[in-house]
Amino acid sequence: MTLPNDGEKVNILIELLERHIDKLPSENSFANYLESIRGFLKTKDPILQKAAFSNSELFIDNFSNVLNNHITSKQAVGSLIAAFDKVGYADSMDAAMIIIKFEDFLKQMPVVDAENFYEERWITDKYRG
């Protein structure tokens, strides 16, 4: 058995990506990411390669941002639950409803607004106290 050369490896990878893309819904961002990689490998045009590379980088940046915001949301909700527990909030159903509304609010809030709110509320209070 001979090992495939670099060109053969690229062709195998392109075929593999095409099979994976075909299995995903057409309006799927992950499918678009795979399509960008496939396009990069398939073309010899440097402009198209640069565009495909940029698209794949954009996908990863967006995906990373979503993951970071999701973790931040969970941490914020956890802090809110701990605060209710610390003050001994009596009615757990009311506390749960407040927490759910707070979590929905955080999901809708742009990251920039959340950062500004944090700086205005917590950093300012830090220097007052």
Side-chain angles (χ1 to χ4, degrees):
M1 177 179 163
T2 61
L3 295 175
N5 63 36
D6 288 345
E8 292 168 332
K9 287 179 188 177
V10 170
N11 288 334
I12 291 169
L13 185 56
I14 291 170
E15 289 174 16
L16 179 65
L17 287 170
E18 287 174 347
R19 286 197 309 265
H20 290 176
I21 292 166
D22 288 343
K23 291 180 181 180
L24 295 170
S26 61
E27 293 301 319
N28 182 292
S29 60
F30 187 65
N32 293 339
Y33 171 69
L34 294 178
E35 180 65 33
S36 292
I37 294 172
R38 187 194 63 79
F40 176 83
L41 294 170
K42 203 169 186 177
T43 187
K44 294 188 187 300
D45 183 330
I47 294 172
L48 294 177
Q49 284 181 337
K50 186 174 182 178
F53 185 80
S54 294
N55 285 341
S56 66
E57 285 292 308
L58 183 61
F59 170 83
I60 292 299
D61 289 345
N62 289 337
F63 187 65
S64 175
N65 189 32
V66 166
L67 288 177
N68 288 333
N69 288 335
H70 185 69
I71 291 168
T72 303
S73 250
K74 285 186 175 186
Q75 289 171 341
V77 171
S79 296
L80 185 59
I81 291 168
F84 279 122
D85 188 48
K86 187 173 184 175
V87 297
Y89 200 79
D91 188 345
S92 62
M93 289 307 290
D94 287 344
M97 185 55 68
I98 291 169
I99 291 166
I100 289 168
K101 286 183 180 184
F102 180 71
E103 185 177 24
D104 288 340
F105 176 73
L106 281 177
K107 287 178 183 175
Q108 295 172 14
M109 181 183 283
V111 175
V112 171
D113 290 350
E115 289 172 351
N116 290 339
F117 178 75
Y118 168 79
E119 288 176 8
E120 178 183 309
R121 173 71 176 101
W122 299 108
I123 294 178
T124 304
D125 283 356
K126 179 180 175 182
Y127 292 111
R128 283 187 200 155

